Amino acid sequence: MQLKKYTDYGLRVLMYLAAKEDTKRATIDELSGIFNVPRNHLNKVVHQLGKEGLIETRRGKNGGFLLAIKASDIRLDKVIRRLEGDEYWVDCHKPECAIFPVCELKNVINQGKETFYDFLSNYTLASLVSNDEKIREFWGTPIPVTIDKD
């Protein structure tokens, strides 16, 4: 199994927003430059992430996007199901399979798919960016400075 590029880009966007750790909105141009992904592709992905309620989007001069919910509340299984679609991985009807009535392939593959998603349900977006400082260094984004008020 291989994830669609669409899903890959969606996960990258979410990881970037989770690791960003500031309130400045990210832009398509910013992400396109960091990930070397065409703006058109990112526009579609960001639109979908907004429709799914995962990110908050805003148009205009001060536009961009932020996570709409905490990274620790975004489970990977849910994100990937939404971005991939939840169709069967084996279609026995197009074209019609000659052994359809007795074949176990679809059942085995579907059990594997559910096992895959069960495994992913143990991880959140926060799990992917637990090393957020190192991630920001690679992306060349500023590391927030905290000032002690002692």
Side-chain angles (χ1 to χ4, degrees):
M1 186 214 143
Q2 183 176 1
L3 296 178
K4 299 175 197 170
K5 285 192 181 286
Y6 187 83
T7 303
D8 178 15
Y9 297 160
L11 291 169
R12 291 183 199 199
V13 167
L14 292 172
M15 288 173 64
Y16 183 82
L17 295 176
K20 196 169 170 66
E21 196 181 73
D22 65 19
T23 56
K24 184 177 178 262
R25 293 178 179 274
T27 65
I28 294 293
D29 287 336
E30 181 181 343
L31 290 173
S32 179
I34 287 171
F35 295 125
N36 195 26
V37 172
R39 293 179 85 254
N40 271 358
H41 294 311
L42 286 176
N43 273 325
K44 293 173 188 173
V45 170
V46 165
H47 178 72
Q48 180 70 30
L49 293 173
K51 279 179 32 180
E52 297 293 342
L54 296 168
I55 65 173
E56 173 192 313
T57 63
R58 183 179 298 162
R59 292 177 172 255
K61 183 179 177 186
N62 295 317
F65 36 91
L66 299 166
L67 284 180
I69 50 182
K70 295 188 306 188
S72 59
D73 292 336
I74 299 175
R75 288 190 8 218
L76 292 185
D77 63 315
K78 302 271 188 205
V79 172
I80 293 173
R81 275 189 202 265
R82 288 175 181 174
L83 296 177
E84 284 288 309
D86 204 17
E87 298 90 26
Y88 288 112
W89 288 356
V90 174
D91 185 356
C92 303
H93 301 291
K94 293 180 186 172
E96 184 75 32
C97 179
I99 62 170
F100 170 71
V102 294
C103 182
E104 285 298 314
L105 178 62
K106 185 174 183 176
N107 292 332
V108 170
I109 296 296
N110 285 334
Q111 286 176 11
K113 174 184 167 184
E114 290 310 311
T115 300
F116 169 71
Y117 282 124
D118 286 345
F119 176 79
L120 290 176
S121 71
N122 295 310
Y123 297 91
T124 65
L125 181 58
S127 307
L128 300 179
V129 295
S130 60
N131 59 343
D132 57 348
E133 285 186 23
K134 289 181 183 176
I135 290 171
R136 287 191 298 269
E137 285 177 32
F138 274 94
W139 283 332
T141 58
I143 297 173
V145 178
T146 55
I147 300 171
D148 291 333
K149 298 185 178 185
D150 292 338

